[in-house]
Amino acid sequence: MTEQTILDQKSINTIRFLAADAVQRARSGHPGTPMGAATMAYTLWDRFLKHNPTNPDWPDRDRFILSPGHASLLLYALLHLTGYDLSLEELQNFRQWGSKTPGHPEYGETPGVEVTTGPLGQGFAHGVGMAIAERWLAEHYNRPEHEIVGHYTYAIVSDGDMQEGVTSEAASLAGTLGLSKLIYLYDDNDIQIEGRTDIAFGENVAQRFAAYGWQVIGPIDGNDVAAIEAAIRQAQADTERPSLIICKTIIGYGSPEQDTAKVHGEPLGEEGVRAAKETLGWPQEPAFYVPDDVRDHMRQAVDRGQAAERAWQERLEEYAEAYPDLAERLQAELRGELPPGWDEGLADLFPPGTAPMATRNASGKVLNALVQRVHALTGGSADLAPSTKTALAGYGDFGWHEYCGHNMHFGVREHAMGAIAGGMALHGGVIPYAATFLTFSDYMRPPMRLAALMGLRVLYIFTHDSIGMGEDGPTHQPIEHLMNLRAVPNLTVIRPADATESVEAWRAALLNRSGPTALIFSRQNLPVLDRTEYASAEGVQRGGYVLWDSDDATPDVILIGTGSETHVALDAGKRLAAEGLKARVVSLPSWELFDRQPANYRESVLPADVRVRVAVEAGTRLGWEHYVGLDGAVVGMDGFGASAPAPILYEKFGITAEAAAAVARDLLGR
Amino acid sequence: MTEQTILDQKSINTIRFLAADAVQRARSGHPGTPMGAATMAYTLWDRFLKHNPTNPDWPDRDRFILSPGHASLLLYALLHLTGYDLSLEELQNFRQWGSKTPGHPEYGETPGVEVTTGPLGQGFAHGVGMAIAERWLAEHYNRPEHEIVGHYTYAIVSDGDMQEGVTSEAASLAGTLGLSKLIYLYDDNDIQIEGRTDIAFGENVAQRFAAYGWQVIGPIDGNDVAAIEAAIRQAQADTERPSLIICKTIIGYGSPEQDTAKVHGEPLGEEGVRAAKETLGWPQEPAFYVPDDVRDHMRQAVDRGQAAERAWQERLEEYAEAYPDLAERLQAELRGELPPGWDEGLADLFPPGTAPMATRNASGKVLNALVQRVHALTGGSADLAPSTKTALAGYGDFGWHEYCGHNMHFGVREHAMGAIAGGMALHGGVIPYAATFLTFSDYMRPPMRLAALMGLRVLYIFTHDSIGMGEDGPTHQPIEHLMNLRAVPNLTVIRPADATESVEAWRAALLNRSGPTALIFSRQNLPVLDRTEYASAEGVQRGGYVLWDSDDATPDVILIGTGSETHVALDAGKRLAAEGLKARVVSLPSWELFDRQPANYRESVLPADVRVRVAVEAGTRLGWEHYVGLDGAVVGMDGFGASAPAPILYEKFGITAEAAAAVARDLLGR
């Protein structure tokens, strides 16, 4: 063996036993994959990965994703060894409260973790989003002799990832787009939790990825550094297609129970760790052993990374001289800033007198106005652009080696769309949006949850938001969806009542930098409220506001509506006022924004003493007691919808002003 | 052209124009796919489909699924023409309130509709479940010279279906299992809503399905009856693999805008219909024209179907003579009946003094006891059987041409698992269960919603139900999930507090024949409540019950808990009682069951006058005001979890008896 080979093996074994020792110490975790995939990961990081451990935020770094997040120690070991701010003590505190080494990699918790992984398939699909953002920015900003954006997106992906549908969706799109800077290493170890993979996974993965339009390399020996190095070079050489490198590996390599499901998700046990160290010729003591030569060798990543970033900074300076405006905008976009005056003129889009309009149409107009100023806005829908009104007119399509367009075509792939949007936001430089019908938000819940957990600025546009979408029937009519989105921590949901509130909803969404926003729009036309008569739509920024009071005095009854049902509530309020009652109508488009207001503001909208409250929303009643309590009432849906024209559905399901007024009278004992 | 050919073409055009006319009349709908896929559907139904229009419930009928549900008129036309109870008037009332012809096919609304479709990919995956159930029953009940179970599962699937991840998951599993009686016709028309499919879908579908282990036939001309006939025969001849027949078709065939996205989702317009009729040589009048010879020809399905069913009945009688016990059990299972004494002895599984036990473990014991008597129970998990405790010991694995086992291995494919379970329930004869971690219920929401909408008896087993799962961290810790499931109409959610409630939860689940049930279990050990000291666990059948009262008098405070937090509530109640307060502790494992109880029962548990109520659940607070109102409080989670041992997480997130008691004192002003 050459000296290099010996050092490679020592480094790889260091990673393996940092993982085995940390899992053993935590008495919890997954040793098998770090031990099996250590060679793949080491080779990639040592020979290829462009990164600067002292600046994990360098925009042009290569992205590395560990899609099987349960193998987190593989990543933590690499981060520690290459010089990130992650001490050995942190590895020794694996899975403990307050450590930087949670059970699965958590974006924002650990320097160098590019994306939260754990739910399988998500890492794979988020990587596709990163590669899309990279190409989009490269196309928009690189100029002849000025390559400012140009990096790879690498991932290690597992058998479990390969089985998830979101992976199939993302892989098919990546092939369609020809994302050649996407290079994935497949840790093909033939084991899953229930046994050998052939019990559930008999397919030919190589053939499947070839069908998607990927370059497929291998199977190669996943313990062979030279073979992995050659494969990655071959992957880089293909400038037309993404590449999948199939690496045959042995889960729990070196342990007595290697190549079985037993090493997947439990500590090896003291005896197991001891035996593995013996098998691989590793010192039994100390635990968490890092040989000095390994540390020196791997820490060279810092020098290499700093030099690479310096070179890039120099290129950026030259670029800034040649293209000052572009350079400035790029950097602002990378910082996630909105340009000055980004929302100017929006409020004038829908003046008093505007004809009734579906809020999806209003949204389309706002979005098309926004993109004129907010260059970073890019996104698309899961094959519903004409219905969700999300096409950006004049901004081109993003397609096979045509990476300049703002309009993404995700195909009928809501799940991958959600993950790709998350990956784009993680990459930075773009503000992604993803659109479909509200009912199909069900297909994309896992990546929406991850975006909320990671605090990503992703915009979801969900139209056809109730039985008001009409004839397509119950499969297409959301019932539980609004509430289910509201229940996700750190996801802001806004359901505007009309075109003017739609403007404010979009403003709020773009201003929300600490998490995703779901914008909820109607299919059907809704009156545009005359804001000279009613309170300003700017109230949307506070989540809820008094839209109309019949009287200055304390109201007898408060009617609360969202979206299309705000108009139902308003009509009911006017009916009650005509009967001599003091009625208040509250527009409450966003629970999250409202609940964040100071108590005195909330009290001014919903006075604690007024308990006769009626909420109106064409969705599940569940949850509305948050505002109406046990003494109020909810006019909502008790079951699924039906197929018929929308006005008939509102009548049949009793979501009407008449019904709301009747409920209020009932509560008032009249 | 032969006479047969002429009649074929006339029949096909009848279907096309029933669709075009109905969409035109409704001014809403999707004419393109019925017109494009009419030849495929007609050929299958006319030459192959084994069905009896006068008895849509004949158990051994072939199943037919229209996966692109938006093409519902294709199915409605076939049902009408072949003699199902679906009049021409119903077609004329397409998409109207109360008609049997909703916008998408709805199971239970229209005789002959085998599954609700519309959300793409679901039909494809539900069909795999039907084919699994068919093979399972065949293996269990067929005997040499007695084939009682033996039918095909056919589907028409679309470009949109092919793009959805759930399709990939289900297709991979179908190939792995070698489900040769599964025959799908792919309506490959190159068009999707946003344009030509190549904008988002460049993959080679034939190669992809070959990789899954399917026989791929074609591409053939989807307008060529003879070619389709030959292809289906070739598919039937393969007894090892499922088959995909790729049919090249033209969306909106015959219309002036055929082969464009314009004919996908909108009426052709009067002029468009006129031009299409002219192009295809069809009489302009009357609308909804069915030539007599076409009606006579297609109605022969009734005679053929009745004869086929009679022959099957005769075979069944012979079988019943040879195997009376088997025949009786099969028929009971097909009726969905539970055997006498099915739940005997369950209540004795966990006597007083049983050591603390995770409810997932209790569930595993109950499930393994149940299957001894309830033969129809079969299911599995998305590669988490060891963790969800759902393996049926001694009941074998369901694998490639080994269809006798009760243990399904779905692979890491939650979404397909959900749809397959739904398909199995639709097929009948089995009671399917599907298991994963609660947080991954997010991956399978679309088929769960469909099961609720269709009223299917599907059992979901969700374990690792809170931060109590510990070190795996926030991606694996459910927060919003419990409430999100409760919000789905007709889905019953039960989260038992201990082993004894787990028995009752399983009983309730099996007794629920009108919809799916989600059983929610803990990873961590929980005390087993001594039912000689506390109220009987049978209270679970009423959803909620008074577990413990400190006093006979009206309580000062009511503490409400579910699952693991019932113990927290109980501890808090005892602390408050020790301070001299009158405390009541309510165990509320199922909101759905509780809310269905008579008002006086609910009042006896939660007296309206007692407003000092504290709910404790380690999930989102949202929704709990349903029981605690504006005057109570919720001890719950405000954000995501974290990675650490479970006891530390409960402390750090304040889900403790101490915190609950403090909140109660606060509400009481003490």
Side-chain angles (χ1 to χ4, degrees):
Chain A
M1 292 213 284
T2 67
E3 212 170 299
Q4 174 69 58
T5 311
I6 292 166
L7 197 52
D8 287 342
Q9 286 310 315
K10 251 174 116 167
S11 302
I12 292 163
N13 281 334
T14 303
I15 296 167
R16 286 189 176 123
F17 289 108
L18 284 176
D21 284 337
V23 171
Q24 187 58 32
R25 174 122 161 198
R27 295 172 193 278
S28 160
H30 302 76
T33 299
M35 296 179 81
T39 308
M40 294 158 59
Y42 166 78
T43 306
L44 173 63
W45 280 58
D46 188 64
R47 305 294 207 270
F48 296 96
L49 197 71
K50 180 177 80 173
H51 65 130
N52 178 0
T54 56
N55 180 14
D57 295 328
W58 172 27
D60 202 42
R61 69 192 181 279
D62 288 339
R63 303 305 195 267
F64 172 77
I65 298 161
L66 182 69
S67 196
H70 56 269
S72 55
L73 278 167
L74 181 59
L75 181 51
Y76 298 150
L78 287 162
L79 292 171
H80 168 69
L81 293 172
T82 56
Y84 283 81
D85 180 18
L86 190 69
S87 67
L88 199 59
E89 289 66 39
E90 293 287 354
L91 269 69
Q92 289 163 344
N93 275 320
F94 181 54
R95 294 183 156 228
Q96 303 309 305
W97 180 264
S99 80
K100 289 186 191 172
T101 50
H104 293 78
E106 303 288 343
Y107 175 75
E109 298 285 322
T110 317
V113 168
E114 299 281 5
V115 52
T116 294
T117 53
L120 289 169
Q122 299 303 328
F124 188 113
H126 278 72
V128 174
M130 294 180 190
I132 284 174
E134 189 268 350
R135 280 298 87 192
W136 192 88
L137 290 169
E139 196 71 19
H140 280 269
Y141 288 104
N142 288 347
R143 289 293 177 273
E145 291 172 51
H146 293 277
E147 195 189 37
I148 300 305
V149 182
H151 68 79
Y152 289 99
T153 300
Y154 296 104
I156 289 180
V157 302
S158 64
D159 288 308
D161 291 302
M162 290 305 195
Q163 293 169 40
E164 290 285 4
V166 65
T167 289
S168 300
E169 293 178 8
S172 177
L173 186 60
T176 298
L177 296 172
L179 298 171
S180 66
K181 294 184 88 79
L182 192 71
I183 299 177
Y184 282 6
L185 290 87
Y186 167 29
D187 175 36
D188 180 9
N189 64 29
D190 295 327
I191 295 294
Q192 57 192 71
I193 291 174
E194 293 183 1
R196 300 203 73 79
T197 50
D198 58 10
I199 58 171
F201 191 51
E203 69 176 48
N204 183 330
V205 174
Q207 187 179 6
R208 173 176 149 215
F209 274 73
Y212 293 143
W214 289 49
Q215 175 183 213
V216 178
I217 302 168
I220 62 171
D221 177 357
N223 266 332
D224 181 340
V225 172
I228 296 165
E229 196 174 336
I232 296 174
R233 289 203 194 289
Q234 184 183 340
Q236 291 182 337
D238 191 322
T239 58
E240 293 226 318
R241 297 175 294 174
S243 291
L244 184 75
I245 302 170
I246 302 179
C247 303
K248 294 302 293 185
T249 62
I250 295 167
I251 192 169
Y253 184 80
S255 106
E257 312 217 76
Q258 69 174 29
D259 197 29
T260 72
K262 288 180 191 162
V263 295
H264 167 82
E266 282 173 29
L268 301 181
E270 284 181 24
E271 180 50 34
V273 173
R274 201 200 54 71
K277 287 182 177 174
E278 190 173 305
T279 300
L280 298 185
W282 200 247
Q284 294 294 338
E285 296 292 336
F288 298 93
Y289 174 52
V290 181
D292 288 341
D293 52 351
V294 167
R295 187 173 298 282
D296 291 346
H297 165 61
M298 294 201 66
R299 279 284 161 94
Q300 290 173 14
V302 172
D303 288 344
R304 284 200 307 266
Q306 289 177 340
E309 184 173 352
R310 267 196 309 274
W312 180 80
Q313 283 289 359
E314 284 162 19
R315 292 206 305 281
L316 184 62
E317 280 157 28
E318 289 165 18
Y319 177 75
E321 275 182 32
Y323 304 96
D325 293 352
L326 281 179
E328 195 181 328
R329 193 181 67 188
L330 170 63
Q331 288 178 91
E333 288 177 0
L334 287 170
R335 288 190 299 268
E337 293 169 6
L338 296 170
W342 64 276
D343 61 348
E344 264 174 32
L346 292 183
D348 305 329
L349 279 173
F350 309 109
T354 301
M357 174 187 290
T359 52
R360 64 173 168 151
N361 284 321
S363 167
K365 286 184 197 298
V366 177
L367 176 59
N368 272 279
L370 275 169
V371 74
Q372 311 283 337
R373 292 210 170 94
V374 185
H375 168 263
L377 260 181
T378 176
S381 92
D383 198 37
L384 286 170
S387 301
T388 55
K389 309 296 176 192
T390 46
L392 298 171
Y395 280 78
D397 289 336
F398 189 90
W400 193 83
H401 291 277
E402 294 280 349
Y403 300 133
C404 199
H406 285 243
N407 290 291
M408 309 271 160
H409 296 287
F410 293 107
V412 190
R413 304 186 186 100
E414 299 82 6
H415 197 168
M417 175 174 71
I420 288 169
M424 292 168 70
L426 283 164
H427 184 279
V430 295
I431 302 176
Y433 64 87
T436 186
F437 292 170
L438 178 56
T439 190
F440 301 140
S441 64
D442 272 358
Y443 278 75
M444 50 190 284
R445 288 193 65 91
M448 292 174 70
R449 184 172 209 261
L450 283 177
L453 177 57
M454 292 190 274
L456 305 181
R457 179 155 72 182
V458 179
L459 312 177
Y460 308 110
I461 302 170
F462 295 133
T463 67
H464 296 60
D465 69 348
S466 73
I467 51 170
M469 65 95 66
E471 290 89 342
D472 275 339
T475 55
H476 284 51
Q477 291 163 358
I479 300 292
E480 67 276 27
H481 302 77
L482 270 170
M483 206 58 72
N484 282 354
L485 295 176
R486 290 178 182 134
V488 179
N490 199 35
L491 172 63
T492 300
V493 182
I494 315 179
R495 185 178 186 231
D498 74 342
T500 61
E501 283 196 5
S502 299
V503 169
E504 296 299 324
W506 266 104
R507 286 186 61 226
L510 281 171
L511 290 169
N512 178 15
R513 292 187 57 166
S514 61
T517 306
L519 297 169
I520 314 290
F521 298 114
S522 74
R523 173 183 187 242
Q524 74 274 30
N525 281 342
L526 300 174
V528 179
L529 294 166
D530 179 351
R531 297 297 171 165
T532 61
E533 183 178 351
Y534 302 105
S536 163
E538 281 174 36
V540 171
Q541 304 304 329
R542 312 195 79 165
Y545 61 102
V546 178
L547 179 66
W548 180 80
D549 261 329
S550 68
D551 216 281
D552 284 343
T554 302
D556 298 317
V557 55
I558 302 177
L559 295 127
I560 309 172
T562 79
S564 38
E565 287 74 62
T566 308
H567 304 277
V568 178
L570 187 58
D571 187 355
K574 292 190 173 177
R575 285 169 191 236
L576 294 168
E579 295 165 18
L581 289 163
K582 295 189 277 293
R584 163 172 292 185
V585 177
V586 169
S587 175
L588 192 55
S590 176
W591 290 27
E592 296 80 13
L593 294 178
F594 185 71
D595 286 358
R596 214 178 292 155
Q597 299 304 312
N600 62 350
Y601 178 75
R602 284 182 282 123
E603 171 70 18
S604 75
V605 177
L606 298 175
D609 288 347
V610 183
R611 287 295 183 96
V612 178
R613 303 176 180 183
V614 179
V616 194
E617 186 170 81
T620 182
R621 298 166 193 267
L622 182 147
W624 270 106
E625 288 95 345
H626 180 57
Y627 295 112
V628 305
L630 300 175
D631 305 309
V634 188
V635 175
M637 296 287 292
D638 287 318
F640 292 100
S643 173
I648 290 173
L649 294 174
Y650 274 93
E651 280 300 320
K652 296 287 184 184
F653 289 113
I655 318 273
T656 61
E658 198 174 335
V663 165
R665 276 185 222 108
D666 203 45
L667 292 175
L668 289 162
R670 288 169 62 116
Chain B
M1 294 215 283
T2 65
E3 212 169 301
Q4 175 68 56
T5 311
I6 292 167
L7 197 51
D8 287 342
Q9 286 309 315
K10 250 173 117 167
S11 302
I12 291 163
N13 281 334
T14 303
I15 295 167
R16 287 189 176 122
F17 288 107
L18 283 176
D21 284 337
V23 171
Q24 188 56 33
R25 175 121 162 198
R27 295 173 193 279
S28 160
H30 302 76
T33 299
M35 296 179 80
T39 307
M40 294 158 59
Y42 165 79
T43 305
L44 173 62
W45 280 58
D46 188 63
R47 305 294 208 271
F48 295 96
L49 197 71
K50 179 176 81 172
H51 65 131
N52 178 1
T54 56
N55 180 14
D57 296 327
W58 172 28
D60 202 43
R61 70 193 181 277
D62 289 338
R63 303 304 195 268
F64 173 77
I65 298 161
L66 182 69
S67 197
H70 56 268
S72 55
L73 278 167
L74 181 60
L75 180 51
Y76 298 150
L78 286 162
L79 292 171
H80 168 69
L81 292 171
T82 56
Y84 283 79
D85 180 17
L86 190 70
S87 67
L88 199 58
E89 288 67 38
E90 292 286 353
L91 269 70
Q92 290 163 343
N93 276 319
F94 182 54
R95 293 183 156 229
Q96 303 309 307
W97 180 265
S99 80
K100 289 186 191 174
T101 50
H104 292 78
E106 302 289 344
Y107 175 75
E109 299 285 322
T110 316
V113 169
E114 300 281 6
V115 53
T116 295
T117 52
L120 289 169
Q122 299 303 328
F124 189 114
H126 278 72
V128 174
M130 294 180 191
I132 284 175
E134 189 267 350
R135 279 298 88 190
W136 192 88
L137 290 169
E139 197 71 19
H140 280 270
Y141 288 105
N142 287 347
R143 289 294 178 273
E145 292 172 50
H146 293 277
E147 194 188 40
I148 300 305
V149 182
H151 68 78
Y152 289 98
T153 300
Y154 296 105
I156 289 180
V157 302
S158 65
D159 287 308
D161 291 302
M162 290 306 195
Q163 293 169 40
E164 290 285 5
V166 65
T167 289
S168 301
E169 294 179 7
S172 178
L173 187 59
T176 298
L177 296 171
L179 299 171
S180 66
K181 295 184 86 80
L182 193 71
I183 299 176
Y184 283 6
L185 290 88
Y186 168 28
D187 176 36
D188 180 10
N189 64 31
D190 295 325
I191 294 294
Q192 56 193 72
I193 292 174
E194 293 183 1
R196 300 202 73 79
T197 51
D198 57 12
I199 58 171
F201 190 51
E203 68 175 50
N204 182 331
V205 174
Q207 188 179 6
R208 172 175 150 217
F209 274 73
Y212 294 143
W214 289 49
Q215 175 184 214
V216 179
I217 302 167
I220 61 171
D221 176 357
N223 266 332
D224 181 339
V225 171
I228 296 165
E229 196 173 336
I232 296 174
R233 288 202 195 290
Q234 185 183 338
Q236 292 182 336
D238 191 322
T239 58
E240 293 227 319
R241 296 175 295 175
S243 291
L244 183 75
I245 302 169
I246 302 178
C247 303
K248 294 302 294 184
T249 62
I250 296 167
I251 192 170
Y253 185 79
S255 105
E257 312 216 76
Q258 69 174 30
D259 198 28
T260 73
K262 289 182 190 160
V263 294
H264 167 81
E266 282 173 30
L268 301 181
E270 283 182 24
E271 180 49 33
V273 173
R274 202 201 53 71
K277 287 181 178 174
E278 191 173 304
T279 300
L280 297 184
W282 200 248
Q284 293 294 338
E285 296 291 337
F288 298 93
Y289 173 53
V290 180
D292 288 341
D293 52 351
V294 167
R295 187 173 298 283
D296 291 347
H297 166 60
M298 294 201 67
R299 279 286 161 93
Q300 290 172 14
V302 172
D303 287 344
R304 284 200 307 267
Q306 289 177 339
E309 184 173 351
R310 267 196 309 274
W312 179 81
Q313 283 289 358
E314 284 162 19
R315 291 207 305 281
L316 184 63
E317 280 158 28
E318 288 164 18
Y319 177 75
E321 274 183 33
Y323 303 96
D325 293 351
L326 282 180
E328 195 181 328
R329 195 181 67 188
L330 170 62
Q331 288 178 91
E333 287 176 359
L334 288 170
R335 287 190 300 267
E337 294 170 4
L338 296 169
W342 65 276
D343 60 349
E344 265 175 32
L346 293 183
D348 305 327
L349 279 173
F350 308 109
T354 300
M357 176 186 288
T359 52
R360 64 172 170 152
N361 285 321
S363 167
K365 285 185 197 300
V366 177
L367 176 59
N368 272 279
L370 275 169
V371 73
Q372 311 282 338
R373 292 209 170 97
V374 186
H375 169 263
L377 261 181
T378 177
S381 93
D383 198 38
L384 286 170
S387 301
T388 55
K389 309 297 176 191
T390 45
L392 299 171
Y395 281 78
D397 289 336
F398 189 90
W400 193 83
H401 290 277
E402 293 280 349
Y403 301 132
C404 199
H406 285 243
N407 290 291
M408 310 271 160
H409 296 287
F410 294 107
V412 190
R413 304 186 185 101
E414 298 82 5
H415 198 167
M417 174 173 71
I420 288 169
M424 291 168 70
L426 283 165
H427 184 278
V430 295
I431 302 175
Y433 66 86
T436 186
F437 292 170
L438 177 55
T439 191
F440 301 140
S441 63
D442 272 359
Y443 278 75
M444 50 189 283
R445 289 194 65 90
M448 292 174 70
R449 184 171 209 260
L450 283 177
L453 176 57
M454 291 190 276
L456 305 181
R457 179 155 73 182
V458 180
L459 312 178
Y460 308 111
I461 302 171
F462 295 132
T463 68
H464 296 60
D465 68 348
S466 73
I467 52 169
M469 66 96 64
E471 290 89 342
D472 276 339
T475 56
H476 284 51
Q477 291 163 357
I479 300 291
E480 66 275 28
H481 302 78
L482 270 169
M483 208 57 74
N484 282 354
L485 295 176
R486 290 179 183 134
V488 178
N490 198 35
L491 172 63
T492 300
V493 182
I494 314 180
R495 185 178 187 231
D498 73 344
T500 61
E501 283 196 6
S502 298
V503 170
E504 296 299 323
W506 266 104
R507 284 186 61 227
L510 281 171
L511 289 168
N512 179 13
R513 292 187 58 166
S514 60
T517 306
L519 297 169
I520 314 289
F521 297 114
S522 74
R523 172 181 188 243
Q524 74 274 31
N525 281 342
L526 300 174
V528 179
L529 294 166
D530 178 351
R531 297 297 170 167
T532 61
E533 184 180 348
Y534 301 105
S536 164
E538 281 175 36
V540 171
Q541 304 305 328
R542 311 194 80 164
Y545 62 103
V546 178
L547 179 65
W548 180 79
D549 261 330
S550 69
D551 216 281
D552 283 344
T554 303
D556 299 316
V557 55
I558 302 176
L559 294 128
I560 309 171
T562 80
S564 38
E565 287 73 62
T566 308
H567 305 277
V568 179
L570 186 58
D571 185 356
K574 291 189 172 176
R575 285 169 190 238
L576 294 168
E579 295 165 19
L581 289 163
K582 294 189 279 292
R584 164 172 291 186
V585 177
V586 169
S587 175
L588 192 56
S590 176
W591 291 26
E592 296 80 12
L593 294 178
F594 184 70
D595 286 357
R596 213 179 291 153
Q597 299 304 311
N600 62 351
Y601 178 75
R602 284 181 283 124
E603 171 70 17
S604 75
V605 177
L606 299 175
D609 286 347
V610 183
R611 287 296 181 95
V612 178
R613 302 176 180 183
V614 179
V616 193
E617 186 170 81
T620 183
R621 297 165 194 267
L622 183 148
W624 270 107
E625 288 95 344
H626 180 55
Y627 295 112
V628 306
L630 300 176
D631 305 310
V634 188
V635 175
M637 296 286 293
D638 286 318
F640 293 101
S643 173
I648 291 174
L649 294 174
Y650 273 94
E651 280 299 320
K652 296 286 184 183
F653 289 112
I655 318 272
T656 62
E658 200 175 332
V663 164
R665 276 184 222 108
D666 202 45
L667 292 175
L668 289 161
R670 287 168 62 114

